[in-house]
Amino acid sequence: MSEATFMDKAAELDAADELAERRKLFALDDGTVYLDGNSLGALPRHVPARLADVISREWGELRIRSWEESGWWTAPERIGDRIAPLVGAAPGRIVVGDSTSVNVFKAVVAAVRMVADDARDEIVVDATTFPTDGYIAESAARLTGRRLVPVSPTELPAALGPRTAAALINHVDFRTGRLHDLPSLTAAVHDAGALAVWDLCHSAGALPVGLDEHGVDLAVGCTYKYLNGGPGSPAYLYVAERHQARFDSPLPGWNSHADPFAMAAGYTAADGAPRGRVGTPDILSMLALESALDVWDGVRVAAVRAKSLALTDFFLECVEAYAPDGRVTSLTPRAHAERGSQVALSCAEAPAVMKALIERGVVGDLRRPDVLRFGFTPLYVGFADVERAARVLADVLAEVPAAPRD
């Protein structure tokens, strides 16, 4: 098809898009195609006013009274309940706070403690995981006297057995955008008598997760990608209801005490999701996140997933039509059941290509040495954006000299 034909197709798809009006809720300029929401989501337009009120009135005027009068104290659970439907969880199972790394540590150590079987001396981890998860899992293994077993997700079922205490798995591979089969892998972990811990950083807000439906034990995720919570916005921890009474956090802080203001010398864990709290909540970033979540009001996750797949399908189609032969290869699976909400292209000249793309208003990101990564956030990315991004990519590839081939 010609460029004009692809532009016409993009216009038709945008006209039929039930989520198209959501773009107006974000601070985006027409001159930029923003395809890096899988690293940092765009700013919802109303958040600055809300944060200004938090600073000037709640902090500036009410001061300490805001812990009670403005609901600061209950924010971690309240915001957790707003995230819950986006990942398929009932209220009371998610608490917001700390970073993803800290929550991974809590979840993995708590999983080993809940299994409470010295014969289960292995922690299985996704070998392709985001590096921090691997670092944390290794530390958790040392702390609990377990051995770390890194395996690819495709090999995970075969690696499970009577020695497995827990498995830490990424729902979507951060490099390739490959979606791993959460229901079947969770079932395999349970069949082995272990607990499943899932990292949802690249899936929450982009596709259905089904934590309760699929019997996930523990899960963590960030909020600054598809949930648009802002740079460094707090992460969250999911603890299945059946495990909450036994959840034994390795970081028992005063905020998770059953009676935090008693300031008792001994620790007694709170009931439910608050067991996942540690120290004083980071209120400014937490309330910015709470406000950002307003953009999800009335949005069906199924519609988000349908648009995500349509966007990535169309991008791959346009790249295939526009890009010079042999310059880029998709690392992202074509099969919908195996694809998250990003497209990763292998390109020998990736650093120079991404630099040129950003200079021309197409913002993706680079994963060294040779991966061009493009994230498609259905709430604000349109099909015309997709066509333009592929067209500019083709222009850049035509201008950037090809690296010598062996």
Side-chain angles (χ1 to χ4, degrees):
M1 288 195 290
S2 66
E3 286 186 6
T5 304
F6 277 111
M7 289 180 184
D8 289 343
K9 182 176 179 180
E12 291 175 5
L13 290 168
D14 280 329
D17 175 17
E18 71 173 85
L19 298 176
E21 290 298 308
R22 295 280 158 171
R23 182 186 178 95
K24 297 176 182 177
L25 301 178
F26 293 88
L28 293 164
D29 56 277
D30 292 335
T32 300
V33 177
Y34 189 65
L35 301 181
D36 208 6
N38 53 330
S39 287
L40 176 64
L43 170 69
R45 290 184 183 276
H46 65 281
V47 169
R50 169 60 180 138
L51 204 51
D53 181 64
V54 171
I55 293 170
S56 63
R57 183 180 61 84
E58 295 184 8
W59 180 13
E61 298 175 13
L62 296 178
R63 293 178 286 276
I64 196 72
R65 291 161 53 194
S66 278
W67 284 105
E68 181 176 348
E69 294 180 24
S70 300
W72 287 3
W73 184 261
T74 58
E77 295 79 51
R78 183 177 72 245
I79 303 170
D81 284 348
R82 293 196 65 183
I83 293 172
L86 302 178
V87 292
R93 297 175 190 181
I94 292 179
V95 65
V96 173
D98 306 311
S99 67
T100 305
S101 301
V102 172
N103 283 314
V104 168
F105 180 73
K106 294 179 204 171
V108 174
V109 173
V112 172
R113 289 178 172 179
M114 286 191 289
V115 169
D117 183 349
D118 290 340
R120 293 189 173 272
D121 60 354
E122 294 180 348
I123 298 172
V124 176
V125 64
D126 174 359
T128 63
T129 189
F130 188 77
T132 286
D133 284 18
Y135 307 155
I136 295 292
E138 183 179 10
S139 178
R142 291 199 308 271
L143 180 70
T144 59
R146 265 63 181 179
R147 183 173 74 95
L148 195 65
V149 181
V151 298
S152 71
T154 56
E155 298 169 348
L156 186 140
L160 300 169
R163 298 181 62 179
T164 308
L168 172 61
I169 320 161
N170 276 246
H171 198 191
V172 174
D173 186 290
F174 80 101
R175 285 190 184 88
T176 67
R178 177 179 290 276
L179 173 65
H180 297 132
D181 191 341
L182 182 146
S184 69
L185 291 176
T186 300
V189 172
H190 290 169
D191 288 345
L195 297 185
V197 181
W198 284 90
D199 183 327
L200 310 178
C201 285
H202 288 270
S203 59
L207 52 91
V209 178
L211 293 177
D212 288 350
E213 177 186 358
H214 302 303
V216 168
D217 301 294
L218 301 159
V220 302
C222 68
T223 61
Y224 48 79
K225 294 183 172 66
Y226 297 109
L227 298 184
N228 311 297
S233 56
Y236 57 91
L237 170 69
Y238 164 88
V239 182
E241 186 178 36
R242 65 188 180 279
H243 293 313
Q244 289 183 356
R246 297 189 302 122
F247 181 80
D248 183 6
S249 174
L251 298 173
W254 78 283
N255 254 240
S256 62
H257 196 286
D259 188 1
F261 292 98
M263 302 298 172
Y267 179 76
T268 302
D271 293 331
R275 286 189 177 211
R277 295 173 65 148
V278 184
T280 304
D282 40 354
I283 289 299
L284 297 183
S285 58
M286 191 166 289
L287 296 186
L289 165 63
E290 182 175 36
S291 182
L293 290 171
D294 290 348
V295 300
W296 288 94
D297 290 348
V299 173
R300 297 181 303 113
V301 177
V304 171
R305 176 58 168 165
K307 183 177 176 182
S308 164
L309 292 172
L311 288 168
T312 49
D313 276 343
F314 189 51
F315 182 68
L316 288 167
E317 184 182 3
C318 290
V319 168
E320 187 174 318
Y322 291 169
D325 289 343
R327 295 295 299 278
V328 294
T329 303
S330 177
L331 303 176
T332 304
R334 287 276 186 174
H336 286 181
E338 298 176 0
R339 188 192 311 164
S341 200
Q342 72 180 54
V343 172
L345 301 177
S346 174
C347 175
E349 304 80 26
V353 169
M354 185 53 70
K355 181 175 184 295
L357 282 172
I358 293 172
E359 289 171 351
R360 298 186 190 195
V362 175
V363 181
D365 67 12
L366 171 71
R367 286 294 176 264
R368 294 196 303 266
D370 61 352
V371 176
L372 302 169
R373 218 173 56 142
F374 303 94
F376 297 83
T377 305
L379 294 190
Y380 55 76
V381 173
F383 293 91
D385 295 325
V386 168
E387 188 279 332
R388 177 184 163 193
R391 181 162 30 89
V392 174
L393 172 62
D395 291 344
V396 168
L397 289 169
E399 296 170 13
V400 173
R405 300 294 194 264
D406 292 334

